[in-house]
């Protein structure tokens, strides 16, 4: 019997979930070597591109296949460019248990929750303001999810485009934040001790001289070899550079860029899962600069999908079932 | 709006479809170089294994992702070891249009229809009897689908296990065949001019001396480097060795085995799509021995899935829809 959850059913299932704990367990499983995640499949077409991520935590009840796509022509049609679906199968029988018609939302959300995990482990004890760079969906979700782990509700928002910035500000205000706007990233660095970057920039927005002692930065935007939001000198100056996956950080994201110019050495990289396993410390001093470089792991998808599916099992009215034999 | 078709809805959609024509168009598109099919994804777990096949015919309305699994512990649970699902997405927007909860049935069926295509193109004009080696689901489906392209209803069935053979005989008789059973593959070769092998044998069942002039053999069972149903000397003696994919035939199936022992040269292999495109001839003489070596192509999955989805569009009552936003 396969269950199908649409966006509304997924939203209902998400309402009561402790996703921070689930994503943390996923990162820990990854760094403990318990994840079986083959290389990403890729289908490149003239009209768009598709990535297929799949894998499991060994011994879990289920395995996951995620299909995520980007179609650049969609906005001209009034559609979001990104789309996606997650499929949850039994690791015991291979049966398709749950189809999550999330249209990419769960990927956005698991990325936001990785930011909250990093803030919980690495943010300084006193945060005068949260800084957010970027005004898209990820800027909104990062701010929303941070509320569970950070008491601060003052926020400085950077964006280049004034109208997009104003729209984002309104959404953040509705979440309970007191928001100040700026078109200068350095102003964010001056005012904030927890900074989250969510742009698709391909050149640094923040430079090392801007960053104050005792700042934590979560670089969420750069997930390809080309994207970059932070000056490599920030990583060189940081007491700790934490990544989601050491092998992946060598190939993409901020650490990759800093390694390429010799600003840091690969031996300085720790995984966030290693902190969660107690194998590496979190923040050690209030005046340390720390960086979390997120490139995105399949185990985050596995964790969030399993959490939603389990919640739907506990509250079956959320899902519609389709009979098998 | 995503539609979900379960086994019953798929069966209803299949009732009126000309799948031979659709699979032929798929083979032709493949040999014309119009298929975009990346390497197969593979997830190997202790409990089972999963293969992810995906791709499209360039310019088609849709692309396909197929997830197929084999879990050897299933039969002890009263479940089939194989399972599967096919997902059809728009090639224009990436939207998930149709979920086919076929549990692997469409893969079985597209394999059977490849046998029918080969028989249409390569079987001799006079067939005293059809020979089937093997007594599983593929033996039944091959016989069933051959009825659309071959007038002969006399059939010789080979299987090792008497009770499985008797059960298969009963099913074939119900399809309108007059069936004779045997436990000697050579007897099939003596009596039949159209022979379809559907076993998972890893050593030849038929040898070259058994095969009469004017025989066509479709080797459907061997789809891995290890499996083998035909003596390589049969391929050496054959006037034509037709494969579904020349690159794939170098790596798996009967041609692969015959090439490995030097029985044939790769230059002798023609693709079935090349015959359909008119670039290569089909059967040229009544007394030729011809071999079709099927290893299975994603384009067959693409073709059958698209046909089922289009039929469901034409008869919307077949599908259940799940709302988007």
């Amino acid at each position: 019997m396969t269950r199908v959850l649409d966006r509304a059913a997924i939203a209902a299932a998400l309402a009561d979930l402790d996703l921070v704990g689930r994503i943390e367990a996923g990162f820990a499983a990854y760094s403990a070597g318990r994840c079986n995640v083959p290389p990403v499949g890729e289908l490149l077409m003239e009209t768009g591109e598709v990535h297929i991520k799949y894998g499991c935590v060994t011994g879990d009840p289920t395995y996951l296949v995620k299909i995520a796509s980007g179609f650049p022509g969609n906005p001209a049609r009034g559609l979001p460019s990104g789309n996606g679906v997650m499929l949850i199968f039994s690791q015991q029988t291979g049966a398709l248990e749950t189809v999550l018609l999330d249209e990419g939302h769960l990927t956005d959300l698991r990325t936001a929750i990785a930011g909250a995990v990093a803030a919980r482990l690495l943010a300084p004890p006193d945060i005068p303001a949260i800084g957010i760079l970027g005004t898209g969906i990820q800027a909104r979700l990062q701010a929303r999810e941070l509320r569970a782990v950070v008491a601060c509700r003052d926020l400085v928002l950077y964006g280049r485009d004034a109208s997009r910035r104003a729209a984002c500000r309104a959404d953040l205000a509705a979440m309970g934040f007191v928001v100040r706007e700026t078109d200068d990233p350095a102003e964010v660095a001056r005012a904030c001790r927890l900074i989250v970057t969510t742009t698709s920039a391909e050149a640094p927005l923040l430079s090392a001289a801007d960053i104050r002692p005792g700042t934590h930065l979560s670089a969420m935007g750069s997930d390809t070899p080309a994207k970059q939001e932070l000056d490599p000198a920030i990583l060189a100056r940081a007491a700790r550079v934490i990544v989601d996956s050491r092998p992946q950080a060598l190939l993409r994201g901020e650490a990759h860029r800093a390694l390429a110019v010799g600003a840091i050495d690969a031996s300085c990289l720790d995984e966030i899962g290693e902190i969660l396993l107690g194998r590496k410390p979190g923040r050690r001093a209030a005046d340390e600069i720390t960086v979390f470089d997120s490139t995105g792991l399949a185990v985050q998808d596995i964790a969030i999908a399993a959490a939603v599916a389990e919640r739907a099992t506990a509250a079956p009215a959320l899902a519609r079932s389709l009979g098998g034999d």
Side-chain angles (χ1 to χ4, degrees), chain A:
Chain A
M1 195 88 108
T2 299
R3 296 178 309 181
V4 182
L5 274 68
D6 61 12
R7 276 291 296 265
I10 292 167
L14 286 169
D16 310 317
L17 284 171
D18 170 23
L19 291 171
V20 172
R22 299 295 295 245
I23 296 291
E24 287 188 352
F27 281 135
Y30 177 81
S31 292
R34 294 200 297 117
C35 289
N36 179 355
V37 178
V40 174
E42 199 171 50
L43 176 64
L44 306 177
M45 296 171 286
E46 276 186 23
T47 48
E49 57 182 68
V50 182
H51 294 91
I52 305 179
K53 298 184 179 181
Y54 53 103
C56 64
V57 175
T58 301
D60 264 10
T62 58
Y63 74 88
L64 181 78
V65 178
K66 174 174 102 167
I67 298 139
S69 63
F71 281 72
N74 279 2
R77 291 185 168 86
L79 299 171
S81 59
N83 208 326
V85 60
M86 295 187 180
L87 307 174
I88 301 173
F89 298 84
S90 164
Q91 207 175 122
Q92 287 306 310
T93 68
L96 175 57
E97 295 183 347
T98 308
V99 179
L100 299 172
L101 299 173
D102 73 306
E103 300 167 18
H105 175 63
L106 291 176
T107 301
D108 290 339
L109 186 53
R110 59 82 157 161
T111 301
I113 292 164
V117 170
R120 191 180 82 74
L121 298 174
L122 295 164
D126 292 314
I127 303 172
I130 297 167
I132 302 268
L133 274 61
T135 55
I137 180 69
Q138 195 56 222
R140 291 162 168 84
L141 289 176
Q142 289 283 342
R144 195 184 80 180
E145 298 304 321
L146 279 176
R147 295 179 307 175
V149 294
V150 170
C152 175
R153 293 293 179 269
D154 288 299
L155 194 149
V156 184
L157 177 67
Y158 159 80
R160 284 177 305 180
D161 181 279
S163 69
R164 283 172 57 85
R165 203 169 59 215
C168 187
R169 176 192 192 152
D171 287 346
L172 300 181
M175 293 174 197
F177 288 102
V178 178
V179 184
R180 181 153 59 88
E181 293 181 45
T182 178
D183 60 2
D184 178 9
E187 191 181 330
V188 174
R190 276 193 295 275
C192 303
R193 294 297 170 276
L194 171 58
I195 300 174
V196 184
T197 64
T198 69
T199 75
S200 56
E202 296 194 352
L205 295 169
L206 291 169
S207 59
D210 298 330
I211 307 300
R212 301 289 171 96
T215 297
H216 172 73
L217 300 104
S218 287
M220 309 305 300
S222 54
D223 57 354
T224 70
K227 291 188 201 164
Q228 181 178 30
E229 301 182 280
L230 304 184
D231 183 352
I234 297 177
L235 282 74
R237 195 178 150 206
R240 309 288 303 285
V241 178
I242 311 298
V243 297
D244 45 12
S245 155
R246 201 177 286 108
Q248 196 161 291
L250 304 180
L251 304 173
R252 53 184 66 204
E254 306 297 338
H256 158 71
R257 297 297 290 257
L259 288 163
V261 298
I264 60 170
D265 185 274
S267 64
C268 84
L269 303 176
D270 291 333
E271 287 180 350
I272 197 161
E274 294 175 316
I275 298 176
L276 291 159
L277 289 166
R279 296 178 184 174
K280 295 286 169 65
R283 169 172 289 273
R284 292 169 301 193
D287 65 348
E288 279 185 343
I289 293 173
T290 54
V291 173
F292 173 57
D293 176 23
S294 165
T295 52
L297 299 188
V299 75
Q300 296 169 251
D301 301 315
I302 292 168
I304 198 168
V308 170
E310 285 168 29
R311 175 70 189 133
T313 301
L318 296 174
R320 308 184 211 188
S321 291
L322 288 147
D325 293 352

